[in-house]
């Protein structure tokens, strides 16, 4: 394996610091632009602004979903359980308990395990 050079570690660290500053400033600008568009075209409305060769355009995407707990309660109260989705999924706690008790062998489930890995890099000045 090739050695990681200190200059690349330093560059990585510096870029991460710059990214934090950029993300913060972008967040502040987005907030300001959204406020201005809220005032000029209305809250949650599409709009645009053109100035000195730049176009700022806001699109609005709307998503709707039911409040799960309250909707299920209402449907149960109305005796409309057929409108409630039953989600069938393995209960990890019960599976482990069944393996511990010898009711099922862990090897039987080995091919069923889906493993996901996340790779995170972190560089700090020490």
């Amino acid at each position: 394996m090739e050695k990681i050079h200190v200059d690349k570690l330093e560059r990585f660290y510096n870029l991460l610091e710059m990214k934090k500053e950029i993300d913060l400033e972008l967040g502040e600008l987005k907030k300001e632009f959204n406020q201005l568009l809220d005032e000029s075209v209305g809250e949650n409305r599409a709009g645009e602004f053109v100035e000195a060769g730049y176009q700022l355009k806001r699109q609005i995407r709307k998503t709707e979903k039911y409040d799960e707990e309250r909707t299920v309660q209402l449907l149960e109260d109305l005796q409309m359980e057929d409108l409630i989705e039953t989600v069938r999924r393995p209960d990890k706690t019960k599976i482990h308990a069944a393996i511990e008790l010898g009711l099922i062998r862990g090897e039987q489930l080995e091919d069923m395990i889906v493993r996901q890995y996340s790779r995170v890099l972190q560089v700090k000045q020490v």
Side-chain angles (χ1 to χ4, degrees):
M1 181 171 113
E2 189 177 325
K3 184 179 177 186
I4 297 176
H5 296 281
V6 173
D7 59 331
K8 288 187 178 182
L9 284 172
E10 183 179 6
R11 179 70 177 147
F12 188 86
Y13 174 81
N14 289 331
L15 287 171
L16 283 175
E17 290 300 310
M18 288 169 53
K19 182 183 180 304
K20 288 178 192 174
E21 291 175 26
I22 289 169
D23 287 344
L24 182 64
E25 187 174 349
L26 280 171
E28 291 170 0
L29 288 170
K30 286 178 185 179
K31 184 178 177 181
E32 181 181 331
F33 294 155
N34 275 309
Q35 266 183 325
L36 291 170
L37 286 165
D38 283 349
E39 293 168 6
S40 64
V41 297
E43 214 173 296
N44 294 325
R45 299 196 48 112
E48 71 178 60
F49 178 78
V50 179
E51 182 72 31
Y54 292 96
Q55 177 191 40
L56 171 65
K57 187 173 185 175
R58 175 169 78 178
Q59 297 177 338
I60 302 295
R61 293 186 181 97
K62 179 181 175 181
T63 58
E64 294 180 336
K65 65 179 186 176
Y66 292 103
D67 179 299
E68 289 184 12
E69 189 175 314
R70 292 180 30 221
T71 306
V72 166
Q73 184 61 54
L74 174 68
L75 293 171
E76 287 175 344
D77 292 347
L78 296 172
Q79 296 180 346
M80 302 191 101
E81 284 85 2
D82 290 348
L83 303 180
I84 300 171
E85 181 179 9
T86 302
V87 179
R88 296 172 51 93
R89 65 177 68 117
D91 185 324
K92 192 174 181 178
T93 305
K94 290 180 181 177
I95 291 172
H96 286 294
I99 292 170
E100 293 281 324
L101 293 171
L103 301 174
I104 189 170
R105 293 187 330 273
E107 302 85 50
Q108 290 176 284
L109 296 169
E110 187 60 35
D111 289 343
M112 308 294 165
I113 298 172
V114 177
R115 291 178 176 88
Q116 295 178 319
Y117 299 91
S118 297
R119 295 166 28 159
V120 177
L121 294 174
Q122 188 176 45
V123 176
K124 295 181 180 180
Q125 280 186 320
V126 290

